[in-house]
Amino acid sequence: MAIQKVLIVDDSPTERYYLTDILVRNGFTVYEAGGAEDALRIAVARRPWLVVTEVQLADDSGLEFC
């Protein structure tokens, strides 16, 4: 059973993979997005407890996304 929901926003699939692996092994449900547009759609639909994003995304600023 998942503890909390986390949204990882990073344009690097490799970085998302590593973060997802760590969080899932520790009981979190993880949603992934490669950019701000997808992340916003997921955040509204899934209501994550935590959002982990990098500052510079390919399509927008991580700060503006937040």
Side-chain angles (χ1 to χ4, degrees):
M1 177 175 245
I3 298 172
Q4 295 290 352
K5 297 182 284 186
V6 178
L7 171 58
I8 298 173
V9 187
D10 196 318
D11 52 6
S12 168
T14 304
E15 295 296 325
R16 288 195 318 264
Y17 172 81
Y18 288 126
L19 287 171
T20 297
D21 183 53
I22 291 167
L23 290 167
V24 167
R25 282 189 283 137
N26 285 283
F28 289 86
T29 297
V30 178
Y31 305 105
E32 298 181 44
E37 186 177 322
D38 288 338
L40 183 57
R41 187 173 21 73
I42 293 168
V44 169
R46 301 296 183 177
R47 314 284 268 180
W49 175 73
L50 175 68
V51 175
V52 178
T53 183
E54 68 176 345
V55 175
Q56 189 58 42
L57 299 168
D59 63 347
D60 205 351
S61 162
L63 295 174
E64 286 194 27
F65 162 70
C66 288

